Amino acid sequence: MTARITDIDDGPGRHGVGARLSAPHDDAASAPWADKLWAAVRTGDEYAAVDVVTDALSAGVEPESVLLDVIGAVQRKVGLEWAADRMSVADEHAATAINDRVIAVLPARRPANGRGRITVACVDQEWHALPARLVSETLRLRGWRVDYLGAQVPTAHLISHIHRTGPDAVCLSSSLPTRLPLAHSAITAVRAAGTPVMAGGLAFGADGRYARLLGADAWAPDARAAADRLAAGPLTRPVPAHQTIDDLPHLGDQEYTLVAGSTTRLVRDTFQRLAQHIPAMRDYSDEQRERTAEDIAHLVNFLTAALYVDSDEVFTGFLVWTAEVLTARGVPARSLLPCLDLLEEQLHDFPRARRLLDAGRTALASRP
């Protein structure tokens, strides 16, 4: 299992994550420009990419459409191309960096009087910043005053910023479900400060189910929807004195706490037992052994996140996506099954964890 699953943390499009970007709003007008920008991005030509955006604006394409239907569409394609093994991690990073830089070509508009102030931030340890930036720039184009805090904002610093600036709402972005426990802490803390929270990003589920579960005041599937919701009226100010356990009573069984506290041991012991079951691992290079250990760590992390929200889908979705990526890279997806079996041996006293592992095996067996 050495297809570098660990690269899911390095850029967009992982596990279907990274940029829950708006679907094209006016495909007929934007598609030709998206094709041109893709050509520039794919060859790493930042100057050509700037020219495409400038020319699109000069041709009368609305700045919001350039932002979401041209730049956003290209970023979606970057993630898909990586997953299909047609882009390396380095190529994908370069493409993302170009997309991030060409956003600066868009016109900067002063905020409209009375529109309000919004803070946009990624939750702690969330590196996928471009989706949050697209939300920020969309709100700016629509006249909001926006404080964009970027990637992986520690919750304590986010709260300090809120107390200093007094925003009307906080938009929190997270792409990887493994960040859901941290997202919950941030949502709870921001609401305790009296500020409503809108959550966005694929970590919260395609339908926003985990945003609601974790207590967010609103959820938006993409940048346009977020801007539309905020324009429709202020979010309701939360009532303080809310506890984490109020949202997730299943945490009372302590499975999440105990498994999360044992992740290092689980990864180490699973790796060692896997080496006993798969003789070929004895001939692995140091790099292959390191990658395999990291891949096992991701399995454990997604299992832990699924325990936190008590959702089979968080774990099975990751497994199915991982199987597809492994297949694209010529690694048999069945290599995941021994890891699930070995984890279950170690977690035999945890019924919810065993249920998740069983669901994982069923999901892998159901793949076409």
Side-chain angles (χ1 to χ4, degrees):
M1 192 166 57
T2 58
R4 202 58 176 179
I5 300 172
T6 51
D7 291 326
I8 64 173
D9 275 343
D10 292 336
R14 310 294 186 259
H15 177 19
V17 304
R20 172 154 284 282
L21 308 168
S22 300
H25 188 63
D26 185 358
D27 191 58
S30 61
W33 297 105
D35 290 341
K36 292 178 181 179
L37 181 60
W38 169 252
V41 164
R42 193 64 184 93
T43 58
D45 192 338
E46 180 180 343
Y47 300 103
V50 169
D51 290 341
V52 170
V53 172
T54 302
D55 292 346
L57 293 169
S58 298
V61 182
E62 288 296 319
E64 184 174 309
S65 186
V66 173
L67 176 69
L68 301 178
D69 305 329
V70 178
I71 300 172
V74 168
Q75 189 62 25
R76 273 196 305 276
K77 189 168 184 177
V78 168
L80 293 173
E81 291 296 289
W82 176 89
D85 202 25
R86 292 189 291 266
M87 288 186 81
S88 70
V89 172
D91 290 339
E92 177 231 317
H93 283 192
T96 300
I98 291 175
N99 279 334
D100 190 59
R101 287 195 290 271
V102 298
I103 291 174
V105 177
L106 299 175
R109 295 178 178 173
R110 290 186 177 275
N113 291 332
R115 179 61 110 174
R117 186 170 187 171
I118 306 294
T119 294
V120 180
C122 295
V123 302
D124 196 6
Q125 296 185 22
E126 177 58 70
W127 285 94
H128 299 88
L130 193 57
R133 180 151 189 219
L134 294 181
V135 172
S136 298
E137 298 304 324
T138 301
L139 292 174
R140 284 197 181 101
L141 288 171
R142 296 198 187 185
W144 293 88
R145 180 177 177 182
V146 180
D147 297 315
Y148 170 60
L149 307 186
Q152 59 151 14
V153 181
T155 297
H157 294 270
L158 175 61
I159 299 305
S160 295
H161 178 84
I162 291 170
H163 286 311
R164 183 170 58 83
T165 60
D168 296 283
V170 170
C171 292
L172 278 177
S173 176
S174 184
S175 295
L176 287 170
T178 50
R179 311 301 185 233
L180 285 173
L182 291 168
H184 193 196
S185 296
I187 290 169
T188 302
V190 172
R191 297 183 80 248
T195 304
V197 177
M198 175 182 287
L202 283 176
F204 296 102
D207 58 359
R209 67 184 62 183
Y210 305 121
R212 293 186 291 273
L213 181 68
L214 302 184
D217 301 283
W219 167 80
D222 54 47
R224 278 198 180 92
D228 290 344
R229 173 61 187 86
L230 291 171
L235 301 182
T236 303
R237 290 279 171 178
V239 178
H242 182 83
Q243 301 296 321
T244 297
I245 198 70
D246 296 334
D247 300 318
L248 305 174
H250 58 265
L251 294 180
D253 67 10
Q254 295 296 302
E255 280 205 35
Y256 165 76
T257 301
L258 293 170
V259 174
S262 303
T263 53
T264 300
R265 177 182 58 79
L266 285 170
V267 173
R268 182 193 65 230
D269 291 355
T270 300
F271 179 88
Q272 292 175 349
R273 297 184 188 191
L274 191 65
Q276 295 172 0
H277 281 73
I278 304 177
M281 284 183 61
R282 299 169 188 165
D283 298 324
Y284 275 12
S285 66
D286 289 343
E287 181 181 7
Q288 287 176 310
R289 292 172 64 85
E290 180 180 354
R291 288 184 175 185
T292 300
E294 290 173 344
D295 292 346
I296 294 170
H298 274 282
L299 285 175
V300 173
N301 288 338
F302 271 86
L303 177 66
T304 304
L307 281 171
Y308 189 82
V309 293
D310 197 34
S311 169
D312 293 5
E313 184 183 28
V314 167
F315 189 56
T316 60
F318 169 73
L319 283 175
V320 170
W321 174 85
T322 299
E324 294 172 353
V325 171
L326 290 174
T327 299
R329 285 154 173 72
V331 179
R334 63 178 180 274
S335 62
L336 294 166
L337 293 173
C339 291
L340 301 184
D341 294 338
L342 292 169
L343 284 170
E344 185 166 13
E345 289 179 12
Q346 299 169 79
L347 297 172
H348 57 84
D349 291 329
F350 299 93
R352 286 201 296 121
R354 293 202 316 271
R355 187 200 78 215
L356 291 168
L357 292 164
D358 286 341
R361 279 188 287 264
T362 300
L364 290 174
S366 301
R367 290 180 63 246

